[in-house]
Amino acid sequence: QLSSSSKQTTRMSLTIISLLLCSLAMLTSSYPFGSPACVSEPKHGGEPQEDRKELGVTFSKEKNDGVYILTLEATPSSQFKGFLVQTSCPGEFVATLGVAVVECTGALGSAGPETKAVTHTDSSEKEMVEIEFVPVDGDNMEPEFEIAIARNYTTFWTKIMV
């Protein structure tokens, strides 16, 4: 038969293990650091939204000193948590605050190395993101970007062309 102190130790150990398992479950239920691959839509499950008016995000693209600046700007009530921007135009994206370059390898059905991409670095609410793209020297073709925006884990829009 267990002593009173052994029972308390066992109970405390079970409580700590339960808390740790709950913490791990919460960590594995989210993917806050952006897309791990160059895919056409998030693999969150569910279908992309159809109504662009519900998105509440405007997109602009301008060239400044040879660098294209792509701006994603949300209305205050339409903030978003994630994005994936891809292009097959020759050049490179620049990693900046909140923007990470994604390596396109072709693994698991994703786009291959001919595609360049960037994604979000965290799952915080975003009102505006500026993304820099530097085309290859001498390339005068204006890049076209394909964008996916995630408002949350289950509400997202894809195939937005800018």
Side-chain angles (χ1 to χ4, degrees), residues 1-2 17 38-39 50 63 84-85 91 97 116 118 122 129:
Q1 199 171 32
L2 292 174
I17 289 171
C38 303
V39 293
E50 297 291 328
K63 189 174 184 180
L84 177 66
V85 177
L97 184 64
K116 308 295 183 205
V118 287
D122 63 63
V129 175

Side-chain angles (χ1 to χ4, degrees), residues 79-90:
Q79 295 176 334
F80 56 96
K81 290 190 171 199
F83 61 88
L84 177 66
V85 177
Q86 302 180 75
T87 188
S88 57
C89 293

Side-chain angles (χ1 to χ4, degrees), residues 49-139:
Q49 303 296 303
E50 297 291 328
D51 187 359
R52 290 277 165 79
K53 285 186 268 182
E54 293 289 318
L55 176 57
V57 176
T58 59
F59 305 91
S60 63
K61 174 175 55 176
E62 66 180 53
K63 189 174 184 180
N64 189 1
D65 293 328
V67 176
Y68 283 91
I69 308 295
L70 175 65
T71 303
L72 292 59
E73 190 165 5
T75 61
S77 61
S78 298
Q79 295 176 334
F80 56 96
K81 290 190 171 199
F83 61 88
L84 177 66
V85 177
Q86 302 180 75
T87 188
S88 57
C89 293
E92 297 293 329
F93 283 105
V94 178
T96 57
L97 184 64
V99 179
V101 174
V102 179
E103 185 178 355
C104 301
T105 62
L108 302 174
S110 66
E114 70 284 353
T115 300
K116 308 295 183 205
V118 287
T119 191
H120 56 285
T121 58
D122 63 63
S123 62
S124 66
E125 297 275 335
K126 295 159 186 56
E127 288 182 17
M128 187 179 84
V129 175
E130 288 187 341
I131 297 167
E132 298 178 19
F133 181 78
V134 182
V136 171
D137 279 342
D139 187 4

